[in-house]
Amino acid sequence: MKNPWEEISLEDYENHMKLDSVFQLQALNEMMKGQLGDYPASRVMILGVAGGNGLEHIREDRVEKVYGVDVNATYLEAATARHPNLTGVLECLRVDLTKDPGGLPEADLVIADLLVEYIGYESFQRAVRRVRPRWVSCVIQINTEDGWVSDSPYLHAFDKLERVHRQMEERALERAMGEIGCQTVKTLERGLPNGKKFVRIDFERAGRRTRV
């Protein structure tokens, strides 16, 4: 069965996410700046990179390689086209993380924002085991009111996600990461419109040395 993310246009996704009543594209951009800046990682992997929101915060004097991973080939083409300054640094990989992630290379830092909701804890564990990062930084969405997609003119573009979306819970993510040797090192919250919030949870993996 086709992954529903392959059927959502980048235009619909980004136009929904950047509405003032949603404000998630902007919030994720700011949060990714912190994720990229907080750890001395020379090789970074962004799981669910979409159109490359936040890649402008890559510091080329610190980062030698960025892997942008997504299931949607059109998203990856856009991410590459929007960031010509990262030629030779950014490598985009089309991977369905709900399946075998065996083709993923190793990296020092994994960033996964609004990803675990759509692939599940077990698939995320498999990906992290394969990449063997020292640090993992996740942003998950917590819904404090009914509804996980904010109302907008683009609402129905996301209808097919109902069959893959999972409600997130901070402790459950921490337990899943603990099972693969990753301990929580930082938690931050960011309020959003419509009774939602983003929670950033960072983990460090025991026994993994960085290359820098």
Side-chain angles (χ1 to χ4, degrees), residues 16 19-24 141-152 191-197:
H16 169 80
L19 288 170
D20 287 343
S21 59
V22 179
F23 210 74
Q24 294 190 9
Q141 178 177 306
I142 302 298
N143 306 303
T144 56
E145 295 180 3
D146 291 340
W148 55 276
V149 178
S150 297
D151 189 28
S152 87
L192 298 167
N194 302 315
K196 299 175 177 23
K197 67 178 178 179

Side-chain angles (χ1 to χ4, degrees), residues 3 14 20 25 35 46 72 111 113 126-127 138 158 171-172:
N3 190 307
E14 291 186 335
D20 287 343
L25 200 72
Q35 290 171 305
I46 301 174
N72 189 310
I111 293 174
D113 296 344
R126 286 196 298 269
C138 303
F158 305 97
R171 302 288 83 80

Side-chain angles (χ1 to χ4, degrees), residues 23-44:
F23 210 74
Q24 294 190 9
L25 200 72
Q26 302 91 323
L28 286 173
N29 187 285
E30 294 173 12
M31 296 179 84
M32 187 176 286
K33 183 177 182 179
Q35 290 171 305
L36 289 166
D38 284 353
Y39 303 102
S42 63
R43 300 175 73 85
V44 177

Side-chain angles (χ1 to χ4, degrees), residues 51-70:
N53 180 40
L55 289 181
E56 66 270 24
H57 302 305
I58 295 288
R59 287 183 50 182
E60 295 171 69
D61 60 329
R62 288 179 51 179
V63 177
E64 66 182 45
K65 195 71 176 179
V66 178
Y67 299 105
V69 178
D70 210 285

Side-chain angles (χ1 to χ4, degrees), residues 5 45 71 75 114 141-142 144 175:
W5 276 108
M45 181 175 291
V71 69
Y75 292 5
L114 302 191
Q141 178 177 306
I142 302 298
T144 56
R175 285 194 299 271

